[in-house]
Amino acid sequence: MSLDTAPDTAPVTSLGSFEEARRQIEICNACRYCEGFCSVFPAMTRQKAFADGDLTQLANLCHNCRGCYYACQYTAPHEFALNIPAALGEVRAESWERLARPQALARLFQSHGVAMAGLLAVALACFFWALAALKPETGAGFYAHLAHNTMVAIFVPAFLAPLGLIALSIRDYWRETGGGRVRLIHVLRALDSAARMKNLSGGHGEGCNFEQGDRFSDRRRVFHQLMMYGFLLCFAATASGTVMHYAFGWEAPYPLFSLPKLFGVPGGLMMVAGAAGLVWLKLRAERTLGAARVWGGEMAFILLLGAVALTGLALYAATGTGLTGPLLAIHLACVMVLFLLMPFSKMVHGFFRLAALTVEAGKPAPAGGGE
Amino acid sequence: MKDWPKTFDLAVVGGGNAALCAAITAAEAGCTVLILEGAPQPYRGGNSRHTRNFRCMHRQPVFPLTGAYEEEEYLHDLMLVTKGKTDEGLARLAIRSSEECLPWMQQHGVRFQPSLSGTLSLSRTNAFFLGGGKALVNAYYNTAADLGVTVAYDAQVTHVHLDGDQITHLHADIAGVPVTVTARAFVLASGGFQADLDWLARAWGPAARNFLIRGTPYNRGVVLRDMLDQGAESVGDPTQCHAVAIDGRAPKFDGGIVTRLDCVPFSIVVNRDGDRFHDEGEDVWPKRYAIWGRLVAAQPDQVGYALIDAKSIDLFMPSVFPPVKADTVEELAAKLGLDPAPVRRTVDGFNAACRPGAFHPTELDGLGTEGLAVAKTNWARPLDTPPFYGYELRPGVTFTYLGLKVDDRAQVHSEAGPIRNLWAAGEIMAGSILGQGYLAGFGMTIGTVFGRIAGKEAAAHVA
Ligand code: SF4
Ligand code: SF4
C-alpha cells in the first residue's frame, strides 16, 4: 500500500466511518502506547497503511473496553480528538450491516430497538393464534398446547436458515479481512480468548473501563460471561432434550433431575442475571464511547435475551397450572424473534468476534517497528 | 480575593507525576492535602501525560524488566548524556531509590507491560506503563481520591508567599476566581517554563518563537519565576532547553510522541537554502535523536528538510503525518517550498560522494561519503530511486533546564538557607541532576523519587 493514503490528522466531522477510523488508527500506529490493552494494537503494528478490510478486522477485534480512550493523551479537546472505542464501534456495527443479507434488515434491527419490539408483537400474535388454532388432541405438558412435531416444523427452519445466512456473512468477512486457511489451532486459540474474554481483562486482569470512567472494573466481563455461559447451558438443555426425545423416546416435561433441567434452570438464571447486569452497565456507561447509533438495538437485544430466559423459567415454574398456555406462547415468540434476528442483531457479534480472533491467530506475529 | 475555607497540611502546586507522588505519600502519612493543577481536568497531568516509561535500577530480572541494571551502569549512562553536568549525590539518590519505586508504583495503581514494539532496546532499563503516562496519571488521581486528597483543576498558582524562612500562603486563580490558600507545608511540582514562548525567546533568542512545544501548554513557569524573584536558589542553564527534531506540521503544543521522526539516518537533511549542515549518519538514532533539535534550531528559519528515496522509506517507524511525495528531486523541493536548483546540486554532490558497499540499517555500517565538506559517515546511499519523500523538521521543545536547587531532602533553599516548609519535585528541580541532555525515562524517575521524598518530608514537618 502506498503511504499517501494517509489523511490529515485533523478530525473532520463529515468523514465516513472508515476514513475516521483510519485517521485515528494512523495516529495510534505512530504512538502505540495502548499496545498492552488488547489484541487490536499489536495487530495494528503489522502495517503502515490500512485498507478497509484491515480496519474491519481491527474493529471486530475491539471489545469496546474503553481502556484506550481513558489512557489516550489525544482525546478531545485535543485537536487529534481520538475516540478509538467509538470509531471502531461504528466500523464494527457497519461491518455487521454491510456483510448481512439482506442489509436492510440488519440496518433496521441493529439500530432500532422499536423494530425488534414490533417483531416481537407480531410473533406473540402468531403464537397465540397458533396455540388456539393448532391445539393438539393429545400430548403432555406443553405439548398439550402445541404438538412436538409442529414445534419442530416451525423452529428447525427458523433456527437453521438464519445460521445459513450468518455462514455467508462470515465467508464474506473472511474475504474482506484476508483470512487464511482455517486451522484447528487457530480456532482453538480464538475459542480460548473468547472463553476467558481475555480482551476485556485490560491486559492486567483488572477489567475494563466500561461503566466507571477511568477506574477498572470486571463487571462487564462477569455479566457477559454469565450471559454467554447461561445461553450455552440453555442451548445444551435444548440439545439434550432433543437427544432424549429422539434417541430414547423420553418426552418432555422433564423432572428437575434430568439433563435438560440441570442445564436449563441454572442457564436461565445466569442469563437473567447477566441481562440485568448488562442493562445496568449499559445505562451507566458513556454512550459517546461506543457506536451511539446502535445503542437502542443493543439494549433491545439484551432485554430480548433476558425475556427468553425469564419466560423459559416462568414456563417451568408454571408447569401444570392454567398459565402454561399463555406463557408458552410468550416464550416461543421470544425464542422465535431471537432466532430470526440472529443475523440482524447484536447476536451476530459472537460469530464475527470468533472469526476475527481466528483470523488474527492465523496471522504472523506482529512485527516490532524500528526506533 | 477569596480565602479557601480550609487550611491544609499540604498544598501541592502542579498535577503531574511528581505532584501526585508527593500528595499520595503525604496523604498516606495522615496529612490533609490539596492539589492545585493548572490545567483543566482533561489535560491534567502535565508532561507526565506524554511519558511512557520509568528508568529503573534493579539487580535481577523483575517484571517488566529483563537482566540487571545496577547503580554504576545507570550513573555511567547519565554521565554520558549530561557530560558530567549533574549533582552526583542527588543522581545516586535518584538511581538507588528508583528500585523501590517500582513496587510502590504498582501498589498505587500503576500497571506495567513489557517494552513496546519498536523500543525493545529499552527492555532491560526502562519499565513501560501499560497504556502510557496518562494511564499512570489516572491511576494516581484515583489513588489520591481514595485517600481523600482534594484536587482543584484549572488552578493557576500566581504567587507563593515567602515570609522569612517559610511559606505562609499562596495565591491562585481557580477557574478564573482569585483564591488565597493557606497550608502548613508546600510542595512545588509545576514543571518547567517551556510553554512560555516569551520567556523562551528571552532566554534563547527570537528564533525560539518558531519552536514547537511537544508537551503541555500549561507549563509556563509562573511559580518558578515567582520563587526565583523571591531569592530561591536556582540550578541549570537558564538559556537552554532540551529539543528534538520533530515533524514541522506538528501542533504548536502537545503533539507528543506521534510527531517524532526517526528518518534522519536514512535521509539527507538540507536547510532552507538547500544545503546540508550535519552528518546524518553520525550514530545510531536514539543516541543522536536529541542533537537534531539544536541543529535545526540553528538553521535559518529554524527549519530543516529530510529527503528520502523509495529505498529507505520503510526503514523507520511510521509518522503520523504522511511524507510529501514526488517523482523527481526538483518536484519534491518545490513541493517542500525550496528552490529546486540548489537542492538538485546538493543531491548530485551527495550522490557522487557515495561509495559502493554493504548497507546495514540496524548497525553502524561505515558506509560513508567521500570528499564532502559535511560528510555522512554511515548509511550513505545515493538518493536516486523515485518516488522521493520529504519531511519538514522543526525543533520540538521537551523541557527546560533552569529550576530550583534542592538538597537530598528535596527542600528548596534561599540564600539564607533552607526554606523550612517548602519542597520541590519533578521537572522544576530536575536541572539539579540533568544539567544537560536527556536519558529516556529518567524524568519520571526524578519525579517519582523526589515526589515521594517531598511528600514524606512535608508530612514529617506538619506531624
Ligand atoms: S489511543 Fe491514544 S494513547 Fe492509545 S495508542 Fe492511540 S494515540 Fe496512543
Ligand atoms: S476499546 Fe478496548 S478493546 Fe477496543 S481498541 Fe480500545 S483498548 Fe482495545
Side-chain angles (χ1 to χ4, degrees):
Chain A
M1 295 235 11
S2 82
L3 280 159
D4 50 1
T5 51
D8 222 10
T9 49
V12 180
T13 40
S14 63
L15 284 183
S17 60
F18 273 133
E19 280 66 37
E20 175 59 12
R22 187 173 290 119
R23 177 188 80 79
Q24 296 196 21
I25 289 290
E26 281 174 350
I27 295 175
C28 290
N29 203 24
C31 167
R32 302 187 180 177
Y33 281 15
C34 291
E35 217 172 61
F37 281 131
C38 68
S39 51
V40 170
F41 293 88
M44 168 190 308
T45 61
R46 271 199 210 94
Q47 59 262 86
K48 279 191 177 186
F50 299 87
D52 289 356
D54 299 329
L55 294 170
T56 303
Q57 167 68 0
L58 294 178
N60 278 282
L61 283 175
C62 168
H63 289 48
N64 196 237
C65 80
R66 302 165 177 213
C68 67
Y69 176 82
Y70 290 103
C72 184
Q73 63 274 32
Y74 299 121
T75 50
H78 193 285
E79 62 189 273
F80 289 171
L82 254 75
N83 185 346
I84 288 287
L88 292 185
E90 188 51 48
V91 169
R92 187 165 60 243
E94 269 185 39
S95 73
W96 302 340
E97 294 168 2
R98 185 179 64 256
L99 299 172
R101 55 200 79 199
Q103 295 183 356
L105 280 184
R107 294 229 158 78
L108 178 66
F109 288 108
Q110 288 289 3
S111 41
H112 299 289
V114 180
M116 194 178 281
L119 185 66
L120 184 61
V122 173
L124 277 171
C126 290
F127 276 101
F128 273 105
W129 172 83
L131 260 61
L134 307 176
K135 191 168 170 57
E137 303 292 308
T138 58
F142 41 75
Y143 297 140
H145 298 270
L146 198 61
H148 182 262
N149 288 344
T150 317
M151 280 201 216
V152 170
I154 297 173
F155 278 93
V156 167
F159 180 61
L160 293 182
L163 276 187
L165 290 178
I166 290 175
L168 293 176
S169 298
I170 296 300
R171 189 198 59 184
D172 291 350
Y173 180 84
W174 215 265
R175 286 195 187 141
E176 185 171 311
T177 58
R181 254 189 57 206
V182 187
R183 287 181 191 276
L184 183 62
I185 177 74
H186 301 152
V187 178
L188 290 178
R189 237 182 271 161
L191 285 171
D192 174 58
S193 286
R196 294 182 291 129
M197 286 220 87
K198 187 166 152 267
N199 286 292
L200 263 192
S201 73
H204 40 47
E206 286 157 54
C208 66
N209 292 119
F210 192 68
E211 79 283 2
Q212 47 181 21
D214 57 21
R215 286 180 190 259
F216 295 99
S217 134
D218 233 353
R219 291 193 194 106
R220 183 146 170 265
R221 191 151 61 135
V222 167
F223 288 129
H224 180 279
Q225 296 305 68
L226 275 173
M227 176 66 95
M228 183 176 87
Y229 284 112
F231 182 87
L232 291 175
L233 280 175
C234 290
F235 194 78
T238 310
S240 59
T242 309
V243 170
M244 285 160 72
H245 184 97
Y246 287 106
F248 303 106
W250 182 7
E251 294 192 9
Y254 301 107
L256 183 57
F257 289 101
S258 63
L259 277 184
K261 287 288 172 335
L262 286 177
F263 286 142
V265 173
L269 291 171
M270 283 162 70
M271 279 180 74
V272 172
L278 289 173
V279 165
W280 177 67
L281 292 180
K282 208 164 176 57
L283 289 172
R284 289 186 45 154
E286 190 70 62
R287 289 192 203 188
T288 53
L289 302 189
R293 176 174 69 81
V294 296
W295 192 91
E298 291 178 340
M299 189 57 123
F301 173 69
I302 301 173
L303 291 171
L304 178 68
L305 281 170
V308 166
L310 203 59
T311 55
L313 291 171
L315 187 59
Y316 175 52
T319 307
T321 73
L323 286 173
T324 305
L327 278 173
L328 182 65
I330 297 173
H331 180 60
L332 292 181
C334 292
V335 174
M336 176 58 86
V337 172
L338 180 66
F339 281 5
L340 289 180
L341 291 189
M342 277 194 297
F344 311 120
S345 66
K346 180 81 188 262
M347 187 71 190
V348 83
H349 85 278
F351 299 89
F352 277 87
R353 180 64 36 84
L354 272 179
L357 290 168
T358 310
V359 168
E360 179 60 20
K363 299 231 166 164
E371 173 151 310
Chain B
M1 173 127 2
K2 290 207 300 198
D3 285 338
W4 192 292
K6 171 175 166 181
T7 296
F8 288 88
D9 291 330
L10 172 63
V12 179
V13 182
N17 173 52
L20 289 159
C21 288
I24 289 169
T25 304
E28 276 182 340
C31 292
T32 57
V33 182
L34 170 68
I35 289 178
L36 295 143
E37 161 58 300
Q41 187 163 358
Y43 283 124
R44 72 183 181 186
N47 282 338
S48 307
R49 288 167 61 239
H50 286 292
T51 64
R52 59 177 164 178
N53 57 47
F54 171 82
R55 186 171 284 254
C56 188
M57 173 184 137
H58 55 109
R59 291 164 233 249
Q60 63 263 321
V62 48
F63 180 81
L65 300 162
T66 56
Y69 187 46
E70 304 214 26
E71 183 174 337
E72 294 309 319
E73 186 189 357
Y74 197 150
L75 186 71
H76 176 77
D77 288 345
L78 179 66
M79 287 299 180
L80 271 185
V81 297
T82 58
K83 304 217 166 62
K85 277 201 198 171
T86 185
D87 176 325
E88 188 177 327
L90 291 183
R92 283 189 186 272
L93 174 63
I95 291 169
R96 251 179 247 148
S97 312
S98 69
E99 192 174 26
E100 66 185 42
C101 286
L102 196 65
W104 186 89
M105 293 164 82
Q106 284 165 305
Q107 281 151 23
H108 293 86
V110 179
R111 295 294 168 259
F112 292 95
Q113 64 161 93
S115 286
L116 294 167
S117 65
T119 57
L120 296 175
S121 56
L122 293 174
S123 65
R124 184 172 63 90
T125 53
N126 290 45
F128 282 70
F129 315 133
L130 179 57
K134 189 168 166 195
L136 169 141
V137 164
N138 289 342
Y140 281 157
Y141 272 103
N142 284 327
T143 301
D146 293 343
L147 289 167
V149 170
T150 307
V151 180
Y153 293 108
D154 204 356
Q156 279 120 28
V157 175
T158 51
H159 175 58
V160 178
H161 195 78
L162 177 64
D163 188 357
D165 64 352
Q166 47 181 335
I167 305 293
T168 50
H169 60 276
L170 58 78
H171 294 158
D173 283 334
I174 302 181
V177 180
V179 178
T180 300
V181 175
T182 51
R184 292 182 191 90
F186 296 81
V187 168
L188 304 182
S190 48
F193 64 88
Q194 65 275 18
D196 183 343
L197 290 174
D198 292 333
W199 189 342
L200 273 188
R202 284 197 301 276
W204 175 286
R209 291 191 193 281
N210 284 336
F211 294 177
L212 303 170
I213 313 304
R214 299 194 75 197
T216 177
Y218 296 94
N219 279 9
R220 291 189 286 258
V222 176
V223 173
L224 173 62
R225 172 89 280 153
D226 180 56
M227 288 313 301
L228 296 178
D229 288 348
Q230 294 178 83
E233 280 192 55
S234 75
V235 68
D237 187 337
T239 68
Q240 292 305 312
C241 57
H242 181 261
V244 296
I246 62 171
D247 195 305
R249 294 161 291 182
K252 187 75 182 169
F253 291 99
D254 229 4
I257 185 76
V258 301
T259 61
R260 78 168 162 354
L261 276 177
D262 301 337
C263 61
V264 167
F266 308 114
S267 319
I268 68 174
V269 180
V270 299
N271 62 16
R272 186 196 64 185
D273 304 324
D275 296 322
R276 287 177 60 245
F277 50 89
H278 196 85
D279 179 2
E280 300 89 346
E282 198 169 35
D283 204 344
V284 287
W285 182 239
K287 291 199 189 145
R288 284 293 111 201
Y289 185 42
I291 72 160
W292 278 85
R294 287 169 169 278
L295 290 170
V296 173
Q299 294 305 307
D301 293 345
Q302 296 70 53
V303 63
Y305 299 88
L307 313 179
I308 306 151
D309 73 355
K311 294 194 298 292
S312 300
I313 191 68
D314 283 326
L315 294 176
F316 49 91
M317 278 268 285
S319 155
V320 72
F321 300 98
V324 173
K325 183 181 170 189
D327 291 325
T328 64
V329 169
E330 287 83 350
E331 187 193 341
L332 182 66
K335 279 189 174 171
L336 290 166
L338 300 171
D339 184 354
V343 174
R344 177 81 258 173
R345 259 198 312 280
T346 300
V347 170
D348 288 344
F350 178 85
N351 287 356
C354 289
R355 298 170 300 150
F359 168 79
H360 294 293
T362 51
E363 56 190 75
L364 295 174
D365 63 1
L367 190 60
T369 55
E370 247 169 29
L372 288 179
V374 178
K376 180 170 178 181
T377 51
N378 289 288
W379 310 296
R381 293 194 295 179
L383 198 80
D384 57 6
T385 313
F388 299 97
Y389 300 91
Y391 286 102
E392 178 189 326
L393 302 173
R394 285 193 182 274
V397 179
T398 316
F399 60 87
T400 44
Y401 290 102
L402 174 68
L404 299 175
K405 189 165 159 50
V406 298
D407 58 24
D408 59 3
R409 291 162 42 180
Q411 197 148 23
V412 181
H413 290 241
S414 71
E415 279 154 36
I419 301 173
R420 277 182 29 216
N421 62 346
L422 185 67
W423 294 267
E427 228 175 289
I428 197 172
M429 48 63 71
S432 307
I433 302 170
L434 264 177
Q436 183 179 330
Y438 185 63
L439 192 58
F442 197 45
M444 291 301 274
T445 306
I446 295 174
T448 309
V449 167
F450 285 90
R452 290 179 61 203
I453 293 175
K456 192 173 128 225
E457 295 292 333
H461 174 81
V462 301

